[in-house]
Amino acid sequence: MDAMKAEQEALLVPETGAAKGRGTVLVALAIALGLILALYFQTFVSMTQIWYRSETFAHGYLIVPMAAYLIWLKRAELKQLDVSPQWLGLPFIVGLGFGWMLAYLAGVQVVQQLAATAMIPVACFTLLGWQVTRTLFFPLAFLMLAVPMGEELIPMLMNFTADFVVVALKASGIPVFREGTFFTIPSGNWSVVEECSGLRYLIASITVGSVYAYLTYRSLFRRAAFIAVSVIVPVFANGLRAYMIVMIAHFSNMTLAVGVDHLIYGWVFFGLVMLLMFWIGAFWREDHKQAPAAAGTTRVAHTRFSRAAMIGVLAAIAVWPAWALYLDASKPDAQTARITSPAPANGWSLTRDLSDWRPRYVGADAELYGTYAKNGETVAVYIAYYSRQRQDAELINSQNVLVEQKHPTWAQIGDSGAQATIGEREVRVHEGLLRSSLQRLLVWEWFVIGDHHFSQPYLGKLLLARNRLINRPDSGAAIVLSTPQGDSAEHSSRVLQNFVGEMLPSIEQSIASVGGDR
């Protein structure tokens, strides 16, 4: 009897301690999540602003409620799991915070949003431990879909859609003439624009398909397989959708599928594709099977250990916004800038404008456009200078393009890269081919930050973040050269290369005279 009584008392002690410890951990988690939301508030606000203005990312409003519901479904299982803070999570929080600060300094909004959102599941792992995080892995990972990302896929998706449609039209016996994402068939002209890329179908499919896979299947393989199908199917379905719309318009003499009904047909077709996916996926459903029940008695790490973990998490969360605020306070204001045309050199002389085309660079502090001629060759120079990087006035920004979508006069029909000798270095520059009804232009575009010439956007963002970290100016410039595209692309490239070799010192001097930071 004494032994039995002692055993019962021993069982009551862990249960009481567990309840107390669990409460401490949950309070620590609530404080950590509240601190993330408070200190990174503007980052989360920027996400909701994109949800509001973009139909592509409007699903973001549903992500948090859906994740909360999926966590609520696990409430009974969670009560049976061990809760134990994991110090292994702290380096990840530190890394995410540092990544957020670099992205903040460089103005890369999507990386800020990813880092701030990822802090939530990592904080849960650090304070709650392996068992709870493993059980809640999908709902916590699902939160990442709230981040408005994927726009960098648009050019690739546009090209794939154009490839698909052109191949399908040729297979249908319809002659096609194609330039970039523009193509012509006997009944009319078509182009694959951003709205036709299929990104919104892809994001919607991944979001809905992930939830369906999680609720319908139990095995990791089936879940992963269905999510993979949710990624692949909408890409090909969008190509088929675009082909069907072109065919409907072709056989209706361009009276159907060319206005609002174009979009209606697209969403109806996408809805049918999703229903078909779910119907086929239901043949292998496993939601009738019970998930394995958690075994054992709840255990919680010592309260002091939980408090120490909480202090570490809070410090790792708070230090980066504080540091960014300090750097902002020491950042100089944008200055009024004026840039002069590069001085003619080596036989090049100023002449009348090459064309009415201008690239679009938003918020530049200084701009110039000038045209130079030598021995019958003509090259136009456009320079956009930014004295300080700030929202909607950034050297590297998705709004800065060679040609706007649906431009009334100009269209970009080629987009690639070219090797150029700039100074003493080989630099990969962005090469574009533009056309209007009267003219074609070959364009080279690259960036200058300090002494660095490059065309890779992410390299530029890293350089700008580095300059901010070491309290150096974050000024920079874009250089865009254009020349008429004749019968030989190689000849036009040589013209641009000769111009760079002979006029680069003058161009660099014009930029240096504005910033004074060389």
Side-chain angles (χ1 to χ4, degrees):
M1 292 292 294
D2 291 340
M4 184 178 297
K5 182 178 180 181
E7 183 178 353
Q8 291 174 345
E9 290 176 350
L11 289 174
L12 289 175
V13 172
E15 185 177 344
T16 304
K20 181 179 178 181
R22 181 181 290 272
T24 302
V25 171
L26 291 178
V27 169
L29 179 62
I31 293 174
L33 296 181
L35 195 64
I36 291 173
L37 294 176
L39 294 181
Y40 301 88
F41 179 74
Q42 289 302 323
T43 298
F44 292 115
V45 167
S46 69
M47 291 169 54
T48 62
Q49 289 172 339
I50 296 175
W51 300 346
Y52 176 76
R53 68 172 182 258
S54 173
E55 292 182 4
T56 302
F57 302 110
H59 70 284
Y61 288 110
L62 303 175
I63 298 299
V64 173
M66 291 175 68
Y69 173 72
L70 295 174
I71 292 173
W72 183 78
L73 293 178
K74 294 289 185 178
R75 64 194 184 282
E77 185 177 347
L78 291 173
K79 294 178 180 179
Q80 305 301 317
L81 299 177
D82 290 349
V83 176
S84 177
Q86 297 291 328
W87 291 102
L88 182 62
L90 274 179
F92 289 95
I93 295 181
V94 171
L96 289 170
F98 183 65
W100 174 89
M101 188 179 72
L102 286 180
Y104 175 81
L105 297 178
V108 186
Q109 199 171 69
V110 67
V111 177
Q112 296 176 56
Q113 295 164 352
L114 282 169
T117 305
M119 283 186 182
I120 296 173
V122 175
C124 292
F125 165 71
T126 307
L127 293 172
L128 301 180
W130 289 101
Q131 289 194 15
V132 174
T133 305
R134 183 170 61 247
T135 301
L136 297 181
F137 178 80
F138 179 83
L140 293 175
F142 188 69
L143 289 172
M144 303 306 296
L145 291 179
V147 178
M149 55 184 172
E151 288 187 329
E152 62 278 1
L153 299 175
I154 287 178
M156 180 182 68
L157 292 173
M158 288 171 61
N159 284 320
F160 176 84
T161 302
D163 291 340
F164 189 101
V165 173
V166 169
V167 170
L169 287 172
K170 289 180 178 179
S172 303
I174 299 176
V176 185
F177 173 73
R178 176 184 177 183
E179 288 185 313
T181 57
F182 297 81
F183 56 92
T184 301
I185 59 177
S187 59
N189 300 319
W190 294 85
S191 65
V192 179
V193 296
E194 290 185 2
E195 292 84 351
C196 300
S197 67
L199 179 63
R200 63 182 60 180
Y201 301 139
L202 176 61
I203 291 176
S205 177
I206 293 174
T207 302
V208 179
S210 298
V211 175
Y212 182 86
Y214 177 71
L215 296 176
T216 306
Y217 305 117
R218 294 286 176 261
S219 70
L220 179 62
F221 174 78
R222 293 191 184 187
R223 286 175 172 173
F226 192 86
I227 292 174
V229 169
S230 300
V231 174
I232 296 171
V233 167
V235 175
F236 285 90
N238 184 63
L240 182 59
R241 174 199 65 83
Y243 164 69
M244 292 171 60
I245 286 174
V246 173
M247 292 296 285
I248 291 172
H250 177 69
F251 286 113
S252 66
N253 197 25
M254 303 297 285
T255 59
L256 297 177
V258 291
V260 177
D261 51 347
H262 181 127
L263 300 175
I264 295 174
Y265 294 163
W267 278 110
V268 170
F269 178 73
F270 174 73
L272 293 175
V273 169
M274 293 300 297
L275 287 175
L276 182 62
M277 278 176 50
F278 295 154
W279 178 69
I280 295 175
F283 286 102
W284 294 276
R285 66 188 311 147
E286 299 174 305
D287 52 335
H288 58 282
K289 299 180 181 179
Q290 293 293 328
T297 305
T298 301
R299 295 177 297 175
V300 183
H302 197 278
T303 304
R304 291 181 182 176
F305 190 64
S306 300
R307 288 174 179 169
M310 180 185 72
I311 293 172
V313 168
L314 297 185
I317 291 170
V319 63
W320 309 108
W323 193 354
L325 190 63
Y326 166 76
L327 292 172
D328 273 345
S330 60
K331 184 178 182 180
D333 293 333
Q335 299 177 349
T336 302
R338 185 173 182 274
I339 187 168
T340 58
S341 297
N346 296 306
W348 290 95
S349 60
L350 285 166
T351 185
R352 62 186 180 85
D353 288 351
L354 172 63
S355 70
D356 63 351
W357 167 78
R358 303 290 186 274
R360 184 185 73 174
Y361 271 81
V362 178
D365 297 304
E367 294 178 280
L368 76 79
Y369 180 90
T371 304
Y372 297 78
K374 176 183 177 181
N375 298 331
E377 305 293 356
T378 308
V379 176
V381 181
Y382 171 86
I383 299 177
Y385 181 85
Y386 293 81
S387 64
R388 183 175 71 84
Q389 311 299 312
R390 57 216 184 267
Q391 187 64 37
D392 295 325
E394 299 167 290
L395 172 63
I396 301 170
N397 189 299
S398 60
Q399 299 181 68
N400 299 338
V401 293
L402 295 180
V403 180
E404 299 177 56
Q405 285 282 326
K406 300 179 181 179
H407 192 282
T409 305
W410 289 92
Q412 184 168 348
I413 59 175
D415 190 1
S416 60
Q419 287 296 122
T421 302
I422 299 179
E424 298 179 353
R425 296 179 55 233
E426 289 291 318
V427 176
R428 184 80 171 171
V429 299
H430 175 215
E431 182 175 87
L433 181 59
L434 315 182
R435 76 169 185 193
S436 70
S437 59
L438 302 175
Q439 198 174 28
R440 287 174 179 253
L441 299 176
L442 184 69
V443 179
W444 280 5
E445 176 188 38
W446 73 93
F447 308 112
V448 182
I449 296 177
D451 293 320
H452 298 275
H453 292 258
F454 59 92
S455 62
Q456 299 86 355
Y458 288 105
L459 174 59
K461 290 295 188 180
L462 288 173
L463 287 172
L464 292 170
R466 182 209 63 177
N467 288 349
R468 290 286 309 281
L469 277 175
I470 61 178
N471 205 26
R472 291 184 59 184
D474 60 349
S475 57
I479 300 175
V480 184
L481 307 181
S482 58
T483 192
Q485 168 70 56
D487 296 333
S488 171
E490 291 78 10
H491 175 75
S492 300
S493 295
R494 285 195 299 271
V495 171
L496 293 178
Q497 179 60 76
N498 291 337
F499 182 84
V500 171
E502 296 173 345
M503 285 290 294
L504 181 64
S506 294
I507 293 173
E508 290 183 325
Q509 182 58 41
S510 292
I511 295 172
S513 65
V514 182
D517 53 2
R518 282 181 174 269

